[in-house]
Amino acid sequence: MELSQLPLLLLLILNIHSGHTEEIPKPKVTIKPDQHVFRGETVTLRCDIYDGGVTSWRYNWYKDGLTSVSSERQEHTFSSVSEYNAGKYFCYGTETKGSRSSQHSDEVTLTVSDPRAVLSVSPQKWLTEGDPVTLICEVNGSSTGWTFSWFTETVSSGSRNGYDLLSDSSRGSGGKYTVSSADLNHTGVYVCRAERDKTAVYSTYSNTQPLWVTGVSPPVSLIISPSRTQHFTSVSLSLSCEDQSNSDGWTVRRYTDSGGLEDCSSSAWRSQTGSTCTIRSTVPSDTGVYWCQSESGENYHHVNITIHIGVILESPVHPVNEGDNLTLRCFYPYISPPKLRADFYKDGSLIQKQTTEMIIPSVSKSQEGFYYCKHPERGESPKSWISVRGESRQGSQIPVFHILSSALAACPYLIVTVVIIYKCCRMRVISVEEEEETSI
């Protein structure tokens, strides 16, 4: 016999001994607001015994079998519930002015969890100016009953980064922060936090989610040497910010899963000289997004860099212009020469087998996607996103402009030519008329 059945057995013996043979009522336990609650909330357990013959009951509460809860009231309330209060509860009643007792109720489980916010991005975190994007914040899989705040992560001078509340953050129960047309200012690392309505219960800060917005023609370029997005471990890597004026007012910054937002010079293995960042010996934790930041805090030209121990894919650092050739190669660091004969894939589909160099002539926008290479013995490379830059509207208008300009430039010569031809024709007509008059 289970220990949890002992109170019921004792009650049955007492009822039989006292001569009561009528049906023994069975209580029912309810939990408000819910059986699954969050730490810090107010929770009430209620024991209802339906028996018209008894006017008053003394209530007995038990947790996890035989652990008595010091309460004789019909409702047992936790004003600020914690994980310690989680468990299985049941109740039974004894008559206050008699000897009758009820059965014990079925057990009801109270679950208490720490409210954790989870942030996701739709449709993707890599954007071009003008693209729409939505940040979605949920608390343990639910967005109801919460109000949300949105923050961007900032680099602080101490060991931990801080958070700045977005000035246009819409607090509400929707759990979504939508940007209809992204611009460069929306680039950043975002987090969210939720507050339980009317209870002042806060969730943890969510996971970080970066947004990278690429401009059509950024004022600065991030130059990477060697010029590729995937690199071997234990090699030197140089990243430089270059603009047309050769200004040194740029800083290389990065975002990694292990370190979050960082300056280039925040490690003994990295150094910043002017606008150039040098990583003396690459490690996998150097994988992340790198960009150029101005003195006023503007971010430009984000590049996703991967440091990998095995096979890597050589692909262009900058977006490929539509109509240009796209060249991909596969390398492995532990052979000489390091170039591999491998299979090449796009978005998981094989596009070319057993070649040392894959060339896609006259690349189009539809060929944008994730590319990687695979060798049957050496393994496969990480995936790299190949961006194809389509012809801009401004570019398509240039030929028309040149045509109009050429036409306008040629107008004076056309007018002069027409006038000369007209005069020549007129003089010929006059000459013919004079000859006819003479012959008459």
Side-chain angles (χ1 to χ4, degrees):
M1 179 181 296
E2 295 182 3
L3 292 176
S4 60
Q5 294 177 331
L6 288 177
L8 177 59
L9 179 61
L10 294 174
L11 293 174
L12 288 173
I13 295 173
L14 289 173
N15 284 329
I16 293 172
H17 180 73
S18 61
H20 292 289
T21 59
E22 62 267 26
E23 184 178 355
I24 302 173
K26 183 175 183 177
K28 181 180 180 181
V29 175
T30 55
I31 302 179
K32 293 184 179 181
D34 198 355
Q35 288 184 231
H36 181 190
V37 295
F38 296 102
R39 172 187 44 79
E41 291 189 291
T42 299
V43 178
T44 299
L45 307 177
R46 181 181 174 88
C47 183
D48 287 301
I49 305 175
Y50 301 100
D51 188 335
V54 179
T55 58
S56 179
W57 294 96
R58 179 184 295 108
Y59 297 89
N60 302 274
W61 290 94
Y62 284 84
K63 175 190 175 186
D64 296 333
L66 289 178
T67 304
S68 177
V69 178
S70 300
S71 177
E72 295 184 349
R73 296 182 179 182
Q74 184 178 16
E75 291 187 347
H76 181 62
T77 299
F78 303 103
S79 58
S80 180
V81 73
S82 67
E83 287 82 352
Y84 172 79
N85 303 125
K88 296 181 178 180
Y89 289 84
F90 72 88
C91 72
Y92 71 89
T94 55
E95 189 178 3
T96 56
K97 297 180 180 181
S99 58
R100 292 190 62 192
S101 298
S102 74
Q103 301 183 51
H104 75 67
S105 68
D106 293 332
E107 289 183 326
V108 177
T109 302
L110 174 64
T111 303
V112 181
S113 62
D114 197 28
R116 298 183 181 277
V118 178
L119 182 61
S120 58
V121 175
S122 178
Q124 62 180 3
K125 61 185 178 182
W126 286 95
L127 308 167
T128 303
E129 279 185 296
D131 288 346
V133 65
T134 299
L135 299 173
I136 303 167
C137 192
E138 295 180 305
V139 179
N140 296 28
S142 173
S143 60
T144 58
W146 299 89
T147 56
F148 296 87
S149 300
W150 307 87
F151 305 82
T152 54
E153 188 176 8
T154 58
V155 176
S156 63
S157 56
S159 59
R160 298 186 63 184
N161 292 347
Y163 302 114
D164 286 343
L165 180 66
L166 293 180
S167 59
D168 60 344
S169 174
S170 54
R171 294 173 58 90
S173 59
K176 293 183 178 180
Y177 177 72
T178 299
V179 176
S180 59
S181 180
D183 59 36
L184 295 177
N185 292 330
H186 290 111
T187 292
V189 179
Y190 292 80
V191 297
C192 67
R193 189 175 67 165
E195 178 184 355
R196 195 67 161 174
D197 291 345
K198 302 178 182 179
T199 60
V201 174
Y202 289 92
S203 74
T204 59
Y205 284 101
S206 71
N207 55 301
T208 58
Q209 279 288 359
L211 289 182
W212 312 114
V213 184
T214 302
V216 177
S217 54
V220 64
S221 293
L222 181 62
I223 307 301
I224 301 173
S225 180
S227 183
R228 53 177 178 251
T229 57
Q230 295 184 17
H231 299 267
F232 301 129
T233 57
S234 303
V235 297
S236 177
L237 180 62
S238 174
L239 306 100
S240 300
C241 297
E242 296 184 4
D243 59 11
Q244 295 180 354
S245 61
N246 296 320
S247 171
D248 287 335
W250 299 97
T251 301
V252 177
R253 304 189 80 175
R254 74 177 194 173
Y255 174 81
T256 63
D257 290 338
S258 59
L261 284 172
E262 295 178 309
D263 288 327
C264 175
S265 57
S266 60
S267 169
W269 294 97
R270 302 190 300 271
S271 61
Q272 178 93 23
T273 303
S275 295
T276 299
C277 169
T278 302
I279 302 176
R280 291 194 289 274
S281 182
T282 55
V283 292
S285 60
D286 288 318
T287 296
V289 178
Y290 292 72
W291 66 92
C292 298
Q293 182 162 311
S294 67
E295 293 177 341
S296 59
E298 296 173 312
N299 302 321
Y300 296 101
H301 205 161
H302 306 87
V303 177
N304 193 21
I305 293 177
T306 303
I307 309 299
H308 190 57
I309 295 175
V311 176
I312 67 169
L313 176 74
E314 183 183 73
S315 60
V317 172
H318 310 296
V320 183
N321 291 321
E322 198 168 22
D324 290 349
N325 293 341
L326 170 62
T327 302
L328 302 175
R329 300 181 183 89
C330 201
F331 291 101
Y332 186 67
Y334 306 113
I335 59 175
S336 182
K339 187 182 294 186
L340 279 178
R341 179 176 293 274
D343 299 335
F344 289 82
Y345 293 79
K346 174 185 178 291
D347 297 330
S349 298
L350 178 65
I351 54 176
Q352 192 163 329
K353 294 189 66 174
Q354 292 298 301
T355 181
T356 57
E357 181 177 272
M358 188 184 76
I359 299 176
I360 301 177
S362 189
V363 70
S364 65
K365 188 71 174 177
S366 63
Q367 290 170 305
E368 196 172 61
F370 285 100
Y371 288 79
Y372 65 97
C373 63
K374 185 176 182 179
H375 188 272
E377 298 175 357
R378 310 298 185 184
E380 67 180 56
S381 73
K383 297 175 177 63
S384 280
W385 174 262
I386 305 297
S387 179
V388 179
R389 184 162 42 205
E391 186 177 357
S392 65
R393 293 181 181 179
Q394 182 180 359
S396 64
Q397 291 174 351
I398 291 176
V400 177
F401 176 77
H402 281 304
I403 292 172
L404 292 175
S405 298
S406 300
L408 291 174
C411 278
Y413 301 101
L414 291 174
I415 294 173
V416 171
T417 302
V418 171
V419 170
I420 293 173
I421 293 173
Y422 173 78
K423 288 186 175 182
C424 289
C425 292
R426 180 63 179 165
M427 291 176 63
R428 182 176 179 82
V429 169
I430 294 174
S431 176
V432 170
E433 290 178 351
E434 290 178 348
E435 290 178 357
E436 289 178 351
E437 290 177 357
T438 305
S439 61
I440 294 174

